[in-house]
Amino acid sequence: MRKQFIVHHSASAVSETGSRFFVFFVTFNPVERLSEKRLMRLPINFPTYRGRFTDDEFFEFCYQNQVLRLERDEDGQIYLRAPVGTKNNIKTVEIITEVALWNRQYNAGVVTESNGGFTLPDTSVRAPDVAWISNERWNSVPEDDKNKCARISPDFVIELMSDRDERYWLPAKMEKYLQNGVRLAWLIDPFQQQTTIYRPDVEPEIKTFAEALTGDAVLPGLELNLSLLL
């Protein structure tokens, strides 16, 4: 996962050499620590603004600002996710590779990483570090929708902490995944060397890196040993 910046919708239009863009006041606020909030000015290409974005407008917003990593919550609030460090990215790639190799062996579905977004039933748009969707469910998505932030909840998601402070807000995000239909979710904490496993209608389970992670009935045959990977 990445640190988050909250984009405030009170923006002023700015013109520079004939191009049109908006400048937002952005709050750096990873864990709601008011004493550490600070504002920045950030130029962002922005389509015609009439209040909350529609799904197509949000996708266009992301397309016009591909250098940014953007998510939207169920209330329409937009979040910018800062790039992770190289070391954390290496960890993420190791995990993605393991899931992708399992998927190739079983030909069970499709795997995405944090550049692929999903529009969830509550209208939020999320881009997990790793996500998996079964072939049956993926094939039910209209082709046009697949080229945008597909309107489907992944069956399985992984979020990898890149900052200790993310433990304050990531658990709530994991619960939101379950509320939107995700069947299995892992929150990997390399600082505490543990993974919190989220399943619908049961309390989260914590495993240390010394214990193997399995895909349960959602991803049968998947097994990860994070002590070797991370």
Side-chain angles (χ1 to χ4, degrees), residues 214-225:
T214 63
D216 296 350
V218 182
L219 299 88
L222 175 66
E223 183 172 317
L224 267 66
N225 189 333

Side-chain angles (χ1 to χ4, degrees), residues 104-191:
R104 180 171 294 180
Q105 178 182 355
Y106 288 89
N107 191 27
V110 294
V111 181
T112 68
E113 43 82 60
S114 59
N115 284 306
F118 300 93
T119 303
L120 305 183
D122 67 358
T123 73
S124 63
V125 177
R126 299 299 185 183
D129 288 328
V130 186
W132 178 83
I133 306 171
S134 69
N135 282 326
E136 180 182 4
R137 297 185 63 243
W138 178 245
N139 291 337
S140 71
V141 178
E143 287 300 319
D144 287 347
D145 203 31
K146 291 178 179 178
N147 293 320
K148 299 180 181 180
C149 297
R151 293 176 177 85
I152 189 171
S153 292
D155 294 282
F156 169 63
V157 300
I158 301 175
E159 297 283 12
L160 174 64
M161 287 189 186
S162 62
D163 189 297
R164 291 179 184 273
D165 290 338
E166 289 181 325
R167 68 184 186 273
Y168 293 106
W169 57 268
L170 268 177
K173 184 178 183 180
M174 305 306 285
E175 294 289 352
K176 288 285 188 181
Y177 279 133
L178 297 185
Q179 293 169 18
N180 279 278
V182 171
R183 299 161 58 199
L184 179 65
W186 296 348
L187 175 55
I188 299 175
D189 181 351
F191 306 101

Side-chain angles (χ1 to χ4, degrees), residues 8-226:
H8 296 280
H9 285 184
S10 54
S12 56
V14 177
S15 177
E16 183 179 80
T17 64
S19 62
R20 180 178 176 83
F21 62 92
F22 282 69
V23 172
F24 288 82
F25 289 99
V26 180
T27 304
F28 172 49
N29 185 24
V31 288
E32 301 296 333
R33 294 179 299 188
L34 297 179
S35 62
E36 296 189 8
K37 281 189 178 181
R38 54 187 183 275
L39 295 179
M40 300 177 293
R41 291 173 62 85
L42 178 66
I44 302 176
N45 295 308
F46 201 38
T48 303
Y49 182 66
R50 299 185 304 275
R52 175 173 173 155
F53 282 149
T54 65
D55 290 344
D56 286 343
E57 286 172 338
F58 181 70
F59 180 77
E60 178 66 17
F61 180 45
C62 295
Y63 181 80
Q64 294 295 333
N65 298 279
Q66 295 183 41
V67 68
L68 304 176
R69 292 292 176 262
L70 301 164
E71 288 189 323
R72 181 183 71 189
D73 68 16
E74 66 275 17
D75 298 318
Q77 182 69 68
I78 299 170
Y79 294 84
L80 283 70
R81 304 187 305 163
V84 300
T86 303
K87 183 178 180 180
N88 197 80
N89 184 253
I90 291 170
K91 294 176 181 177
T92 304
V93 169
E94 290 288 344
I95 296 169
I96 293 170
T97 300
E98 291 297 311
V99 177
L101 288 173
W102 167 86
N103 188 64
R104 180 171 294 180
Q105 178 182 355
Y106 288 89
N107 191 27
V110 294
V111 181
T112 68
E113 43 82 60
S114 59
N115 284 306
F118 300 93
T119 303
L120 305 183
D122 67 358
T123 73
S124 63
V125 177
R126 299 299 185 183
D129 288 328
V130 186
W132 178 83
I133 306 171
S134 69
N135 282 326
E136 180 182 4
R137 297 185 63 243
W138 178 245
N139 291 337
S140 71
V141 178
E143 287 300 319
D144 287 347
D145 203 31
K146 291 178 179 178
N147 293 320
K148 299 180 181 180
C149 297
R151 293 176 177 85
I152 189 171
S153 292
D155 294 282
F156 169 63
V157 300
I158 301 175
E159 297 283 12
L160 174 64
M161 287 189 186
S162 62
D163 189 297
R164 291 179 184 273
D165 290 338
E166 289 181 325
R167 68 184 186 273
Y168 293 106
W169 57 268
L170 268 177
K173 184 178 183 180
M174 305 306 285
E175 294 289 352
K176 288 285 188 181
Y177 279 133
L178 297 185
Q179 293 169 18
N180 279 278
V182 171
R183 299 161 58 199
L184 179 65
W186 296 348
L187 175 55
I188 299 175
D189 181 351
F191 306 101
Q192 298 293 324
Q193 295 280 292
Q194 66 183 31
T195 302
T196 305
I197 303 168
Y198 293 83
R199 304 178 181 92
D201 304 319
V202 297
E203 289 297 313
E205 176 187 3
I206 295 176
K207 286 191 174 184
T208 68
F209 278 14
E211 302 173 89
L213 297 173
T214 63
D216 296 350
V218 182
L219 299 88
L222 175 66
E223 183 172 317
L224 267 66
N225 189 333
L226 295 182

